[in-house]
Amino acid sequence: MQLQRRYSLPNCTLILQGLTDTSDSVELSQTLSILMNAECYLAGEEQPLSGGRQFLASLVEAVSHYAQALLSNIQRTKLPSQDLVRLKRLDFDHHQLVVKVEEPPSPNNQTKTQPASSESKTRLVSLTTVQFFDLVEAIDQMFADPLTLPNFLLPLSPLSKQEVVQQEPLPQRVASPALGLAGLAIATAALVSMPLPELRRPTNPAAPISAESVGDSVDPTQPDTSTSDASTPDASTPETPTDPIASEQPDFRNDLPPVPEITDRQQLLQISTQLYDEINRAWINVPIFDDSLIYRVSATQDGAIIGYRGENDAADSFVDETPLPELLYSPTSTAINQAEPIAQFRVTFKPDSILEVSPWYGYPEAGQPEPQTAPDTSSSDTSPDTSSVDNSSNSATPNSAVGSATERFPEPTDAAPEVPSVPTPDTPAIAADGSDSLAGLAASIYTEIDRRWQTVPDFEDDIVYRIQVDPAGTILAAEQVSPGSAQADRELPLLSLVQADSTATESKPFRVVFKPSGVLEVSPWDGWE
Amino acid sequence: MSVSVSARSPQSEVTTPVPTALDQLPDIPLKVDLCPKRARQQLDFILLALEALDLGGSEALLKVGKELGLQPVIRNRVYLWRLRCSNPLRRYTHRPGLSLTEGKAMAAIACYVARRLTAQIRQLVLAHQQLQEKELPLESHFRLADYLERFRAHFRARMNPKRASVLVYQDDEKLNQLALALLQHLLFCTGTAGAQRFWISLFDGEV
């Protein structure tokens, strides 16, 4: 039985013609199950769009998808399977329906050469939004009608992510993550190229300048570490410190004008401290050398190392083990011409990772400006002793022993190389000026005794002497005060120092303590005040 | 013999524990049972457009909710307001989000109210189309201008002006365009399968 369904809307009328399925039961006899023809009358079009099942399916699919696109403003990438009907948006209110119409070949066009194929024409229909909505509504009503094509269901489903055309163009979308990745890459490269933090080599915790070890001097195999006067003539003249260095190092300093030398003790102390800190901080590698390396280092007022020279063979060969090459400050040409005052320092790198820095010519006003150049001694400590003497004397604590922080300990004999002994002058120190004569005297006595005390102490108690010292620094008398045995006298050098035939009128009493730990203490008998 | 049938499927008005008004709206296979950002935004905007259309819009929303038996989902006026505030562009955004059921309820209410205002919506869309063709300003049509003005006022009062998406609409012209687009959406919501189409369009590109 032929059935017709008509869905009428103001702008669109959909007419379906078809048959009912005769095998159905009576109740379903009104159902249009088989479609024969579908016609769609649109407003403003005389001819309807018509076609069969395929046409209807294509129309429905295209219209439905387009309506969803209108609602969600998201374009589809997947084209409908059949493109008999397509929809395009012209502007906000106008949409274009493109229908491929197959026309049967007209008899007039048939020729021998032309095959009898059907021509396909495209029909364009322009619709406003309201008209399009009516078309959608007609189709929806058809689907909602249970009596029409019950197996034909409205194909409605949300678009999956893959089907959606991305709203933003790819470059814009990729820009942000790409920027992030680029930033990450740059940061990583920067961090990786940063140098690893330098390991601080384990330093002796009491290792400021005042705590330098003087133990090496006790070793019996060590020669007497008193100094030679190799550069005495230079030391006495404060005007030409550059010459010794210039003569030994073939560098730019040959052309330099003579620069003034710093002789102020405070300054020297300050520069010593700075130098010590600087070199200590930079000396991070474990010493691989067996001898101490001694260098004569020139430094400016602000602690910059402007030159250095090795004083012993070990120093020359192991110079790369020291941080001195790195710390060497190369002044610009203007700095050279300015003739900054400089000072010279003795820097010793010991194989047990101990660093010592002291002024080359000693601290002035301590009565010992004699040069301490002993190039072959690997463990001379007289100048460190001087500096340590000065440091503790400046602190002016009543019972502070001069150099009490230092320890005297025996050095292993195999570590000490055989070095030729340098003749030690027995000349006493030049007298200090009167400003702090007590400290100066104490310092000079300490230096003298320390220089002579080379043996390892094998007594068990402190040995205390009371000595009389004249302003020139010579020891006039010495008597043992502690209840020690006479054996100590033989070991200790005091008696050899006594010059009883001096005719000095003034003499001050001093207290000298020899401790079994190797520490020497010299202090005024009546205190520092 | 021909039979002409014009059918319009009725909404179910039977109150059941699970409101059948929502049965027509299919479940969307999302990973989480929450409406995505765009869906929340669109739902709020559609309700906003409905309120701008009709002065009694807000009341109508609640009344329809009751009629459809959606009280278990949309309990009261405040609850509806909180659900609408899940729109991320609002000034006071409600954090917990919108469940699928609540979203369905809002879509159903919106389409039901829109259907009642079908004539008005069609008239306004037609008016706009004619004004465009004749190149007349939008203010020429009183009711359209009224709708646009009310929409603009509601939008600016409720949406957070600091958000970038809202800053786009600082211009009146742009906001008018949004209002007109929503009017078109409302037109489609009035259809037979309007609620379904609208609901599914909310999840385009999210599945």
Side-chain angles (χ1 to χ4, degrees):
Chain A
M1 187 170 59
Q2 263 217 348
L3 292 173
Q4 191 185 52
R5 299 277 186 262
R6 178 194 287 262
Y7 304 98
S8 296
L9 285 152
N11 287 310
C12 171
T13 306
L14 188 65
I15 299 175
L16 298 180
Q17 290 154 346
L19 300 167
T20 181
D21 199 350
T22 49
S23 62
D24 289 345
S25 56
V26 179
E27 294 84 32
L28 297 171
S29 60
Q30 291 296 317
T31 313
L32 196 158
S33 318
I34 303 164
L35 180 73
M36 280 171 31
N37 193 31
E39 280 174 358
C40 180
Y41 291 86
L42 292 167
E45 297 285 316
E46 287 179 10
Q47 291 288 325
L49 303 169
S50 58
R53 176 75 186 230
Q54 214 184 14
F55 161 74
L56 186 65
S58 179
L59 177 72
V60 161
E61 194 183 348
V63 166
S64 188
H65 286 172
Y66 189 76
Q68 290 305 112
L70 273 186
L71 274 171
S72 63
N73 285 328
I74 291 177
Q75 297 298 321
R76 299 179 163 240
T77 47
K78 207 169 70 173
L79 294 171
S81 47
Q82 304 156 352
D83 56 351
L84 281 179
V85 181
R86 270 180 290 130
L87 277 152
K88 211 166 58 172
R89 188 161 198 178
L90 298 176
D91 63 27
F92 187 72
D93 255 334
H94 292 89
H95 319 274
Q96 194 174 61
L97 191 64
V98 180
V99 184
K100 272 197 199 151
V101 178
E102 279 195 12
E103 287 190 359
S106 62
N108 303 330
N109 287 343
Q110 261 185 350
T111 59
K112 276 195 183 165
T113 53
Q114 215 174 24
S117 61
S118 51
E119 297 172 1
S120 57
K121 270 172 35 178
T122 333
R123 190 166 162 188
L124 301 170
V125 181
S126 197
L127 294 169
T128 63
T129 308
V130 180
Q131 291 166 350
F132 176 71
F133 168 68
D134 282 343
L135 174 59
V136 171
E137 179 61 13
I139 290 171
D140 284 347
Q141 283 182 10
M142 179 199 74
F143 278 115
D145 188 359
L147 296 178
T148 306
L149 300 172
N151 300 326
F152 195 20
L153 298 170
L154 182 61
L156 269 188
S157 62
L159 279 184
S160 66
K161 287 180 193 159
Q162 289 83 20
E163 290 170 342
V164 171
V165 171
Q166 289 300 336
Q167 300 295 318
E168 279 180 55
L170 190 64
Q172 264 184 340
R173 280 170 51 224
V174 168
S176 310
L179 194 65
L181 280 174
L184 182 65
I186 291 169
T188 312
L191 281 172
V192 161
S193 64
M194 252 171 59
L196 287 173
E198 295 176 355
L199 289 172
R200 292 185 74 92
R201 75 180 164 82
T203 55
N204 193 339
I209 300 166
S210 56
E212 287 149 11
S213 160
V214 297
D216 301 332
S217 57
V218 180
D219 192 307
T221 65
Q222 290 299 322
D224 194 354
T225 58
S226 61
T227 59
S228 65
D229 287 346
S231 55
T232 308
D234 294 336
S236 52
T237 60
E239 301 300 322
T240 58
T242 57
D243 291 347
I245 292 179
S247 60
E248 304 228 1
Q249 257 185 348
D251 60 0
F252 57 87
R253 294 181 65 81
N254 282 331
D255 306 321
L256 292 176
V259 286
E261 176 145 17
I262 303 171
T263 50
D264 177 47
R265 192 206 308 172
Q266 276 299 105
Q267 275 191 320
L268 282 177
L269 191 61
Q270 189 193 335
I271 304 171
S272 287
T273 322
Q274 262 183 302
L275 263 187
Y276 183 90
D277 285 338
E278 210 181 324
I279 301 175
N280 194 26
R281 213 182 311 131
W283 189 23
I284 54 172
N285 48 347
V286 179
I288 60 172
F289 42 85
D290 295 328
D291 307 338
S292 293
L293 314 179
I294 304 174
Y295 297 88
R296 182 170 170 163
V297 173
S298 297
T300 57
Q301 260 178 322
D302 49 8
I305 298 175
I306 51 177
Y308 61 88
R309 183 181 66 165
E311 291 293 326
N312 60 358
D313 293 335
D316 288 330
S317 43
F318 287 105
V319 69
D320 290 327
E321 291 292 315
T322 66
L324 289 175
E326 300 155 3
L327 293 172
L328 184 65
Y329 169 69
S330 310
T332 57
S333 53
T334 51
I336 293 173
N337 295 335
Q338 275 168 12
E340 245 181 285
I342 62 159
Q344 296 186 53
F345 290 86
R346 179 202 199 84
V347 176
T348 309
F349 296 89
K350 291 224 169 110
D352 50 7
S353 295
I354 299 215
L355 173 71
E356 295 171 5
V357 175
S358 58
W360 187 261
Y361 303 118
Y363 285 100
E365 297 164 329
Q368 291 277 9
E370 58 186 56
Q372 303 284 346
T373 53
D376 296 326
T377 56
S378 62
S379 58
S380 79
D381 301 308
T382 47
S383 49
D385 293 352
T386 316
S387 63
S388 57
V389 160
D390 280 341
N391 283 338
S392 40
S393 65
N394 285 339
S395 61
T397 52
N399 284 332
S400 71
V402 171
S404 61
T406 63
E407 290 224 3
R408 198 184 298 263
F409 54 86
E411 199 181 33
T413 53
D414 51 345
E418 289 297 310
V419 294
S421 62
V422 177
T424 63
D426 284 341
T427 54
I430 299 170
D433 61 347
S435 55
D436 33 359
S437 52
L438 266 185
L441 277 180
S444 65
I445 296 163
Y446 182 92
T447 315
E448 288 280 342
I449 302 174
D450 187 40
R451 210 191 308 150
R452 283 171 169 75
W453 189 20
Q454 298 292 336
T455 55
V456 180
D458 62 355
F459 43 85
E460 284 167 11
D461 298 323
D462 289 359
I463 300 181
V464 186
Y465 281 88
R466 183 192 158 119
I467 58 174
Q468 297 285 353
V469 182
D470 74 349
T474 47
I475 302 174
L476 304 172
E479 54 177 308
Q480 187 170 355
V481 170
S482 62
S485 62
Q487 183 192 14
D489 270 344
R490 270 183 262 121
E491 290 192 12
L492 298 169
L494 269 183
L495 297 179
S496 60
L497 281 174
V498 173
Q499 298 176 16
D501 53 354
S502 167
T503 50
T505 48
E506 270 186 28
S507 71
K508 296 209 170 96
F510 275 80
R511 172 197 172 93
V512 177
V513 183
F514 297 87
K515 293 201 164 156
S517 56
V519 174
L520 170 70
E521 294 181 2
V522 176
S523 55
W525 189 262
D526 301 320
W528 290 99
E529 286 307 313
Chain B
M1 191 170 99
S2 64
V3 174
S4 85
V5 173
S6 183
R8 216 170 165 86
S9 61
Q11 289 280 352
S12 165
E13 295 183 7
V14 178
T15 52
T16 55
V18 176
T20 50
L22 307 181
D23 283 349
Q24 272 194 354
L25 304 178
D27 281 327
I28 311 290
L30 289 173
K31 286 187 191 137
V32 192
D33 184 31
L34 285 177
C35 293
K37 196 173 73 164
R38 198 179 66 83
R40 289 181 261 147
Q41 193 182 311
Q42 278 298 107
L43 278 169
D44 192 24
F45 282 177
I46 282 285
L47 292 177
L48 198 63
L50 283 171
E51 284 176 340
L53 264 182
D54 184 15
L55 275 176
S58 338
E59 283 305 317
L61 294 174
L62 289 165
K63 221 171 90 170
V64 162
K66 266 193 232 167
E67 280 178 30
L68 291 178
L70 293 173
Q71 290 247 259
V73 185
I74 313 267
R75 286 171 219 142
N76 51 33
R77 177 194 312 276
V78 177
Y79 203 78
L80 177 63
W81 174 77
R82 277 172 64 203
L83 289 182
R84 289 180 68 181
C85 283
S86 62
N87 175 10
L89 299 190
R90 282 244 180 179
R91 277 175 200 262
Y92 309 107
T93 313
H94 187 55
R95 280 285 162 198
L98 203 63
S99 76
L100 280 183
T101 315
E102 287 161 348
K104 281 189 201 174
M106 285 171 77
I109 292 173
C111 292
Y112 200 83
V113 175
R115 207 165 299 147
R116 288 197 175 161
L117 300 170
T118 305
Q120 199 176 346
I121 294 171
R122 277 184 85 103
Q123 190 189 26
L124 287 178
V125 175
L126 268 172
H128 170 70
Q129 175 203 316
Q130 282 163 4
L131 287 176
Q132 286 280 89
E133 280 170 8
K134 293 178 190 163
E135 290 180 18
L136 291 170
L138 291 174
E139 286 76 30
S140 318
H141 194 273
F142 170 71
R143 296 196 74 166
L144 187 63
D146 210 21
Y147 161 72
L148 292 176
E149 193 192 316
R150 272 209 294 264
F151 183 85
R152 285 200 304 269
H154 284 326
F155 188 91
R156 293 223 170 98
R158 297 178 199 184
M159 299 302 156
N160 186 356
K162 290 192 187 138
R163 293 202 68 129
S165 320
V166 177
L167 272 179
V168 174
Y169 295 117
Q170 251 186 352
D171 187 21
D172 270 0
E173 199 46 52
K174 287 250 163 81
L175 207 45
N176 284 347
Q177 289 296 316
L178 176 66
L180 293 166
L182 284 169
L183 206 54
Q184 275 191 356
H185 293 180
L186 277 176
L187 180 63
F188 284 94
C189 288
T190 61
T192 309
Q196 264 178 296
R197 287 193 180 271
F198 178 62
W199 173 246
I200 286 177
S201 79
L202 292 177
F203 298 93
D204 267 354
E206 311 283 348
V207 180

